[in-house]
C-alpha cells in the first residue's frame, strides 16, 4: 500500500470512528486522533491532545494512580514490602501481573509476588483505618524481619476518608528505625496511572534520596551507571545489564526491576543515569541531575538497530577504552542478530502492525519491528504526555495513525479498517482481538515470554512475532474482513 493510500485510509478511518459519537464527545476525541509521518510537516505527534480526562462512559484502557505507583514504580523493589492500603481487590488484582522478575527467597528476603493488604471493610471506612495500618506495619516487621523497609500504597478510600497515613508511617519509622514511606497514590488522583508514577518518584525523592547511610562507604569507579526505568519484565533489566557490563561499565543500580532498597539509595553515586522508560522515571532523573549533578541519557534497547545506536550514544559519554570495547560488543552481537534477521525476516517482511501500549513502547518497539521488515501503521499511548508524542515522531517509519487514550470501540474499528497482520497491545485488548481471529502479542508483559531488551532478547522477540502470525492455527480461522468477503 502506497503512503498516500495508507494516509487517506487512516484519515477516513478517523472520520468514520468519530461519526458514532455525540457532538461533545466527537469534538473531544477528534483532538486525540490523527496521522503523522516521518517527513518534516507538523503532524499529530506535534498536536495530539494527551494526558487529559477520559471521556466518561467509554471503555478506557487506562489504569489508575495506584497502579502507576504500586504496580510500576514501587512494586518491583524486591526487599521492601509494599502494602496495599484499603480494600483487598486493588492489591489482589495488581499482584504479579507485570512479571517483574527478581532473585531472592520469596517471603524471606524478597516479597515482590506476595500480596500485602490492610483488607479494609465497612468499619474501617466509617471509623478510619490508621490503627489497622499501624498494626499491619508491626505484624509485617514481626513476620518478615528481613524486609528492608515498607511502602504504604494508598487505594481510593484512603484519600476519601482522610486518614493520615503520613503520620502513621512517621511514627512507625521512629519506633523501629525502619524506612517507612507512605505514598498517597489514591487511584482517583490525576487522569491515569501517569500521576501515580510522578507521585511515586516524588516519594523516592523525599524519603530515599536523603538517606545517605548506604552512600557513605560506597567506592566509586569512573564507569558507574544506573539503569533507570527498567522493571525487569521477563528479565529485561538483566539482559540490559549484561551488555552494559560487557562494554566495561559497572551497573550499580537497577530501578526498579530486581532492585533492592540499597540500589535506590546509592543511585546518586552513578556517573550517568541511563533512562529507558522516560514517562515513568523522568522525574527522578531530573531530580538527580539538579540535586546531585548526575546527567541522564535516554536509550532504546529494542531491536539491534536501536540497541547499537544506543550503545554508541552511551559509550560517547565515556573514554576511548569504553568506546573501543563497545565496538567489539556491537561486532560480536551483530553477527548473531544478522542471523536472526536472516531467519525470520523472510517470514515477516511487509507485515503490518498496530500498537497500543503505555510508557515507552509505542515508540521504542517500532525499530525492532522494522529490523524484521515489518511496518508499524498505528500507534498510541494509554497515558502519554505531549513530550512522549514529540519523541515518537523520530521513530515513525511511514504514515502512522496516532491515537491517544484510545478506547475499545476505537481500537476495534481502527483495526477493522486498517487490517493489520498483528495487533500488539495490552492485556485488556488481548482477548478482544484474539476472539476476532487476529494475531496478537501482549506488549505490556510480553505475554509469558521475554526478555525483549538487548541483543540476545531480539531472538526471542523475533520468534514470538513469527509464532503469533505464522502459527498453523490461522489456517483454521479467518480475520473478520476475510469472513465478510467470503459471505458477500
Ligand atoms: S481506581 Fe481506586 S479502587 Fe480502582 S484499582 Fe485504583 S486504587 Fe483501587
Amino acid at each position: 500500500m502506497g503512503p498516500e493510500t495508507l494516509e487517506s485510509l487512516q484519515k477516513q478511518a478517523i472520520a468514520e470512528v468519530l461519526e458514532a459519537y455525540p457532538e461533545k464527545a466527537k469534538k473531544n476525541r477528534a483532538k486525540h486522533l490523527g496521522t503523522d509521518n516521518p517527513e518534516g510537516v507538523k503532524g499529530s505527534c506535534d498536536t495530539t491532545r494527551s494526558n487529559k480526562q477520559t471521556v466518561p462512559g467509554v471503555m478506557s484502557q487506562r489504569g489508575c494512580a495506584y497502579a502507576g505507583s504500586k504496580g510500576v514504580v514501587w512494586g518491583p523493589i524486591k526487599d521492601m514490602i509494599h502494602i496495599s492500603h484499603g480494600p483487598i481487590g486493588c492489591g489482589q488484582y495488581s499482584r504479579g501481573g507485570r512479571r517483574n522478575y527478581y532473585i531472592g527467597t520469596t517471603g524471606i528476603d524478597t516479597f515482590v509476588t506476595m500480596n500485602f493488604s490492610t483488607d479494609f471493610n465497612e468499619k474501617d471506612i466509617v471509623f478510619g483505618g490508621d490503627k489497622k495500618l499501624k498494626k499491619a506495619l508491626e505484624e509485617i516487621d514481626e513476620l518478615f524481619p528481613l524486609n528492608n523497609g515498607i511502602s504504604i500504597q494508598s487505594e481510593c478510600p484512603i484519600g476519601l476518608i482522610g486518614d493520615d497515613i503520613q503520620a502513621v508511617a512517621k511514627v512507625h519509622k521512629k519506633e523501629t528505625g525502619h524506612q517507612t514511606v507512605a505514598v498517597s497514590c489514591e487511584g482517583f488522583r490525576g487522569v491515569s496511572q501517569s500521576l501515580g508514577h510522578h507521585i511515586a518518584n516524588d516519594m523516592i525523592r523525599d524519603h530515599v534520596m536523603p538517606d545517605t547511610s548506604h552512600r557513605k562507604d560506597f567506592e566509586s569507579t569512573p564507569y558507574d551507571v544506573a539503569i533507570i526505568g527498567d522493571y525487569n519484565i521477563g528479565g529485561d533489566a538483566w539482559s540490559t545489564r549484561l551488555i552494559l557490563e560487557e562494554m566495561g561499565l559497572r551497573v550499580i543500580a537497577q530501578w526498579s526491576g530486581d532492585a533492592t532498597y540499597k540500589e535506590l539509595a546509592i543511585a546518586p553515586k552513578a556517573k550517568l543515569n541511563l533512562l529507558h522508560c522516560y514517562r515513568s522515571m523522568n522525574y527522578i532523573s531530573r531530580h538527580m541531575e539538579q540535586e546531585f549533578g548526575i546527567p541522564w541519557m535516554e536509550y532504546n534497547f529494542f531491536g539491534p538497530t536501536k540497541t547499537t545506536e544506543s550503545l554508541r550514544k552511551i559509550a560517547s559519554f565515556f573514554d576511548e577504552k569504553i568506546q573501543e570495547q563497545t565496538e567489539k560488543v556491537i561486532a560480536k552481537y551483530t553477527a548473531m542478530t544478522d542471523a536472526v534477521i536472516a531467519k525470520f525476516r523472510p517470514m515477516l517482511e511487509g507485515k503490518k502492525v498496530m500498537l497500543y501500549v503505555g510508557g515507552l513502547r509505542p515508540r521504542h518497539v517500532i525499530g525492532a519491528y522494522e529490523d524484521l521488515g515489518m511496518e508499524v501503521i498505528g500507534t498510541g499511548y494509554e497515558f502519554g504526555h505531549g513530550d512522549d508524542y514529540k519523541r515518537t515522531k523520530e521513530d515513525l517509519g511511514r504514515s502512522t495513525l496516532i491515537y491517544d487514550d484510545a478506547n475499545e470501540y476505537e481500537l476495534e474499528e481502527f483495526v477493522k479498517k486498517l487490517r493489520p497482520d498483528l495487533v500488539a497491545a495490552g492485556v485488556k485488548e488481548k482477548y478482544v482481538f484474539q476472539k476476532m481471529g487476529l494475531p496478537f502479542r501482549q506488549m505490556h508483559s510480553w505475554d509469558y515470554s521475554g526478555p525483549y531488551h538487548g541483543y540476545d532478547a531480539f531472538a526471542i522477540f523475533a520468534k514470538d512475532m513469527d509464532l503469533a502470525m505464522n502459527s498453523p492455527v490461522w489456517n483454521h480461522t479467518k480475520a473478520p474482513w476475510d469472513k465478510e468477503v467470503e459471505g458477500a
Side-chain angles (χ1 to χ4, degrees), residues 76 78 98-103 112-113 231-238 254 256-259 445 447-451:
K78 65 181 178 180
R98 272 178 54 89
R99 302 179 64 243
N100 310 105
Y101 282 10
Y102 60 97
I103 294 167
V112 177
T113 48
Y231 302 103
N232 206 31
I233 291 167
D236 282 339
W238 293 335
Q254 285 176 200
S256 56
D258 194 33
S445 51
D447 278 311
Y448 303 97
S449 185

Side-chain angles (χ1 to χ4, degrees), residues 64 66 90 155-156 187:
C64 67
Y66 160 86
C90 314
E155 300 165 14
C156 284

Side-chain angles (χ1 to χ4, degrees), residues 63-67 85 87 89-91 93-94 153-157 185-189:
C64 67
Y66 160 86
H85 187 35
C90 314
Y93 291 110
S94 65
Q153 305 288 325
S154 282
E155 300 165 14
C156 284
C185 55
E186 289 84 357
F188 58 76
R189 291 185 192 274

Side-chain angles (χ1 to χ4, degrees), residues 51 62-65 187 189-196 382-385:
N51 196 32
R62 282 174 161 174
C64 67
R189 291 185 192 274
V191 299
S192 69
Q193 55 268 63
S194 182
L195 188 65
E382 284 178 23
F383 51 86
H385 296 212

Side-chain angles (χ1 to χ4, degrees), residues 74 77 79-83 137 140-141 147-152 168-182 203-214 261-262 264-265:
W74 281 95
I77 304 167
D79 60 345
M80 290 182 79
I81 287 177
H82 312 285
I83 184 162
L137 299 178
I140 283 173
D141 280 341
N147 82 74
N148 281 330
I150 302 173
S151 83
I152 302 157
V168 177
K170 208 168 162 189
V171 169
H172 186 74
K173 188 175 176 183
K174 201 169 168 201
E175 285 175 0
T176 61
H178 240 118
Q179 181 63 276
T180 313
V181 184
M203 290 299 101
I204 293 174
R205 178 197 66 198
D206 294 348
H207 294 272
V208 184
M209 295 289 90
D211 179 359
T212 56
S213 59
H214 295 288
Y261 175 80
K262 185 177 175 183
L264 263 72

